[in-house]
Amino acid sequence: MENRKKRKNIVGIASIPNRVEGLKDTIKCLSPQVDHIYVWLNGYEKVPKVEETNVTFHLSFTNDGAIAKLKLLESIKEDNFYYFTCDDDILYPSNYIEHNLSVYEPGSIQSSHAKIFNSFPITDYAYGDTSGFYFGNEIQNKVPVHIVGTGVGLMDSDVAKQINYKEFSTSNMLDVWISCWAQQTSTPMYVTPHPGGWLLPNNIVNQENSIWSQVIKSDQDQIRLINHYFTKT
């Protein structure tokens, strides 16, 4: 069995300015559980003040979207680590890291928020014929999935170092891009079992301009990409 103590626990977050208070809450939740947190500040004018000392901010005056979670990998000097991709609008429990590692399969990507398509090709990404696993609900079993959510994601450095984010042409489709990459490279994807209410949306964050709110308005890019990678023979 792999000796997990040899690997550092590292978090990557991409944040936008109107979620700064949510970002601070996320950092407060995760800081005691990990070795380091890297935050890409999309469109921020200044670095927010936080009490936690194991946080490194990357100030970007442009909005690089969720893809910035992968850009942060270039800042990590460690050779062996677990990479937790997190969001600035979720409240994480005090045993989040420990629990994820207890059910993690080396060489895979896992998430507490995921989706299985019941058939291909798909015609509706947001509300189509799927089995969905919402992070706030109870998830009883660890099962293979088609789409992993990168707000509650985990991969080890062996997987993370293989991903070339520069091939991902749209910045705010990270869940779909990573899942399609995993499908293409035969990297296993799983949903993480956990109790209901274990993860919670942070209600202080305004979801009006969230990635999901954009997806439900137009999901044609997601549909094309998924059908391209998941229907190959």
Side-chain angles (χ1 to χ4, degrees), residues 113-133:
H113 189 83
K115 181 177 293 192
I116 297 172
F117 296 106
N118 295 326
S119 62
F120 293 101
I122 67 168
T123 57
D124 186 338
Y125 172 71
Y127 298 114
D129 184 16
T130 65
S131 298
F133 301 91

Side-chain angles (χ1 to χ4, degrees), residues 118-165:
N118 295 326
S119 62
F120 293 101
I122 67 168
T123 57
D124 186 338
Y125 172 71
Y127 298 114
D129 184 16
T130 65
S131 298
F133 301 91
Y134 173 62
F135 70 83
N137 294 341
E138 178 185 20
I139 298 174
Q140 295 184 346
N141 300 307
K142 175 181 173 180
V143 296
V145 295
H146 293 127
I147 302 293
V148 288
T150 55
V152 281
L154 168 61
M155 66 189 85
D156 58 29
S157 50
D158 298 328
V159 173
K161 290 176 181 178
Q162 296 180 51
I163 302 174
N164 182 5
Y165 71 84

Side-chain angles (χ1 to χ4, degrees), residues 96-108:
Y96 180 74
I97 302 300
E98 178 184 15
H99 175 71
N100 268 273
L101 291 178
S102 72
V103 296
Y104 180 71
E105 179 177 312
S108 71

Side-chain angles (χ1 to χ4, degrees), residues 214-226:
Q214 298 169 33
V215 167
I216 60 178
K217 293 176 183 177
S218 176
D219 60 3
Q220 292 306 303
D221 289 340
Q222 289 86 347
I223 291 170
R224 280 193 293 269
L225 197 61
I226 290 164

Side-chain angles (χ1 to χ4, degrees), residues 6-7 33 54 65 67-68 91 103 107 111 129 133 137 159 170 183 200 215 217-218 232:
K6 291 182 179 180
R7 292 186 185 263
Q33 304 183 53
N54 59 340
I67 292 291
L91 297 174
V103 296
S111 175
D129 184 16
F133 301 91
N137 294 341
V159 173
T170 43
Q183 170 72 7
L200 296 170
V215 167
K217 293 176 183 177
S218 176
K232 284 185 174 181

